[in-house]
Amino acid sequence: MKVTMFAAPFGQGGQMHIHCRRYVRLLQLAGCAITLIEHSGFESKVIPGVQHLRYPRRMRRLDGPMTAWALSFLHKQRLGALLSAAQADLCHVQWMDERVLDVSRAGARPLIATAWGSDLNVPAQASADDATRLRIGAALRELDLLIVDCDDIATTANQLAGKPIPTATLPIGIDTKLFHPDLPEERRQWRERLKIEHDAVVFLSARQLGALYRPGEIITAFANLPVAARERSYLLMRTFGHSVGTSLPTLRRMAEELGVAPRVRWLESTAYEQQPGLYVAADVTVNFPQMDAFPVTILESLACGVPVLTNPLKAYESNGVKPYLKFTRDDSVSELSANMAAALEGRETLQAQALQGRKHVVRHFDERVSASRLRDIYEDLLLRIRQR
């Protein structure tokens, strides 16, 4: 089976986004021949066995002045050559945006997209006549299939499109042979590197730095712990990704003003292969986003046997992981702080819960399982289209 995958139009440091790299891995495990189309300006390493092509400049300034017919003609001319060169059985777009309309107008069929969460959740909060919301709704209506990672995102897609959209649920799988709990040397090395005592309790904020993931609120919750609890614990903040709505200097000042700067560690981007060691260096992962889909960090943390403390978002009720997460009673900083304090005293219970969660992740979300499921999704779609 030949698949053309359109990578997300953003990444970090000029590299393809990690979710796209994971999807390429799934396609390879599924035995697909891959044509990968990235945006110009990216400098991703060539992946052996993968055909690399470049997406033409999008020229967004033309969306308003040009008619739909003119755009259709333009994109057919500019994207048609790419699609002809790929000769794929289907096209798969990562991240829902205007490119879905571009590719559709160029005649790509069957057309699949994967929604990551913010691409639908953010426009869903806009007014009904918001231009971005209208474009996303139009793009959704062009799809033959939308892949989502939780039921909540499927519901949001239907609301934006104004009609039911064909969907399949597939969280991005992880390599559970890489992410596992038995890494004592890595735990020691990470703690030594971060100047953290071996018997201290470490809370890990594993998400990006953007305001959507509320890093400031996590720091505040940590600062609100009883003094005795703070003195035997640390907060590890990852600082990778897009700092939309916040900034590292601002967060550092906040930690200083709250008096917890000596107990906070800041960690820049970490190589993918080193991330399991980072998880096991922690004792509890703290997750507190404003909105979400189903984050791969939950799967990675549980695969490493590290408990996940999180606010109760609807998206987390999917995929059978709810019994393995520790939820706050409500979505408040005070409740998060209370649960962090309780986690200090109840670590053994939480760790036992997380180890059961690992079994669930291995059974259902190992990348090999997800790759098999992805191939089934493709084959079912192609069969359905042939039978029309």
Side-chain angles (χ1 to χ4, degrees):
M1 184 183 304
K2 295 181 179 180
V3 178
T4 296
M5 192 186 98
F6 290 82
F10 55 87
Q12 184 178 4
Q15 298 293 312
M16 181 168 56
H17 195 283
I18 181 61
H19 285 354
C20 293
R21 296 203 298 271
R22 288 188 177 105
Y23 242 99
V24 170
R25 170 71 173 161
L26 293 184
L27 290 169
Q28 290 175 321
L29 289 171
C32 298
I34 308 164
T35 298
L36 177 64
I37 300 181
E38 287 191 88
H39 283 245
S40 55
F42 279 19
E43 298 176 357
S44 300
K45 295 179 180 178
V46 173
I47 304 171
V50 174
Q51 182 184 18
H52 289 252
L53 298 175
R54 293 289 179 185
Y55 198 93
R57 287 184 61 192
R58 173 116 211 326
M59 298 191 296
R60 282 184 170 82
R61 65 184 184 278
L62 299 179
D63 280 350
M66 295 189 70
T67 65
W69 182 90
L71 276 173
S72 177
F73 178 80
L74 174 65
H75 293 310
K76 185 173 182 180
Q77 295 300 311
R78 301 176 74 235
L79 287 168
L82 290 178
L83 297 173
S84 296
Q87 289 293 303
D89 297 300
L90 51 85
C91 291
H92 193 152
V93 180
Q94 295 292 329
W95 180 267
M96 278 296 308
D97 62 8
E98 301 95 331
R99 293 170 307 140
V100 172
L101 290 172
D102 297 351
V103 175
S104 175
R105 287 164 176 155
R109 283 292 183 272
L111 181 56
I112 301 174
T114 296
W116 291 6
S118 299
D119 45 357
L120 300 188
N121 282 331
V122 171
Q125 293 190 336
S127 62
D129 59 352
D130 177 78
T132 299
R133 177 178 178 136
L134 293 173
R135 283 198 297 272
I136 294 299
L140 286 165
R141 293 190 293 271
E142 291 295 315
L143 293 174
D144 295 296
L145 184 70
L146 175 68
I147 295 180
V148 297
D149 57 18
C150 62
D151 298 338
D152 195 39
I153 294 299
T155 300
T156 301
N158 292 339
Q159 292 172 347
L160 289 168
K163 70 172 190 177
I165 299 298
T167 59
T169 303
L170 181 70
I172 297 176
I174 65 168
D175 185 354
T176 59
K177 293 182 179 178
L178 176 65
F179 289 85
H180 65 90
D182 189 22
L183 298 167
E185 182 60 19
E186 285 81 354
R187 177 181 170 92
R188 185 195 66 77
Q189 290 176 355
W190 269 108
R191 289 196 166 213
E192 183 177 283
R193 171 182 172 183
L194 295 167
K195 295 181 172 57
I196 294 174
E197 303 87 67
H198 71 90
D199 58 346
V201 177
V202 175
F203 296 98
L204 168 65
S205 175
R207 307 297 291 274
Q208 295 186 54
L209 198 66
L212 174 64
Y213 303 106
R214 300 195 291 193
E217 285 84 345
I218 293 175
I219 294 170
T220 302
F222 179 73
N224 288 344
L225 289 175
V227 174
R230 286 206 314 267
E231 288 179 348
R232 60 190 179 98
S233 60
Y234 289 86
L235 175 61
L236 179 54
M237 300 292 299
R238 299 190 67 188
T239 63
F240 73 101
H242 305 277
S243 301
V244 178
T246 188
S247 70
L248 183 54
T250 299
L251 294 172
R252 284 183 178 274
R253 282 196 301 272
M254 174 184 289
E256 291 280 356
E257 292 167 359
L258 292 171
V260 294
R263 313 301 294 184
V264 178
R265 299 291 185 266
W266 309 91
L267 185 67
E268 297 179 355
S269 183
T270 306
Y272 178 70
E273 294 75 16
Q274 295 179 342
Q275 290 181 21
L278 176 60
Y279 278 104
V280 300
D283 298 288
V284 180
T285 296
V286 180
N287 182 70
F288 197 63
Q290 178 182 351
M291 63 178 75
D292 214 351
F294 191 83
V296 72
T297 48
I298 284 181
L299 300 180
E300 291 173 343
S301 188
L302 291 177
C304 290
V306 179
V308 178
L309 176 60
T310 182
N311 54 330
L313 296 186
K314 184 71 174 176
Y316 306 154
E317 297 178 7
S318 298
N319 303 311
V321 301
K322 188 175 180 180
Y324 312 111
L325 305 175
K326 177 62 176 176
F327 290 98
T328 60
R329 286 181 299 180
D330 56 54
D331 189 25
S332 67
V333 172
S334 60
E335 182 65 15
L336 176 62
S337 185
N339 272 32
M340 291 172 74
L344 286 166
E345 307 304 327
R347 278 188 296 153
E348 290 186 5
T349 300
L350 289 177
Q351 287 169 352
Q353 182 183 34
L355 288 174
Q356 291 301 311
R358 171 175 166 78
K359 294 179 182 179
H360 181 78
V361 172
V362 171
R363 187 179 304 116
H364 298 286
F365 304 116
D366 178 82
E367 61 180 3
R368 299 152 194 86
V369 176
S370 296
S372 177
R373 170 72 178 133
L374 180 60
R375 187 172 184 95
D376 288 344
I377 289 171
Y378 285 163
E379 290 177 346
D380 288 347
L381 175 61
L382 290 172
L383 178 61
R384 190 162 67 247
I385 287 176
R386 285 196 294 267
Q387 291 175 344
R388 287 178 182 173

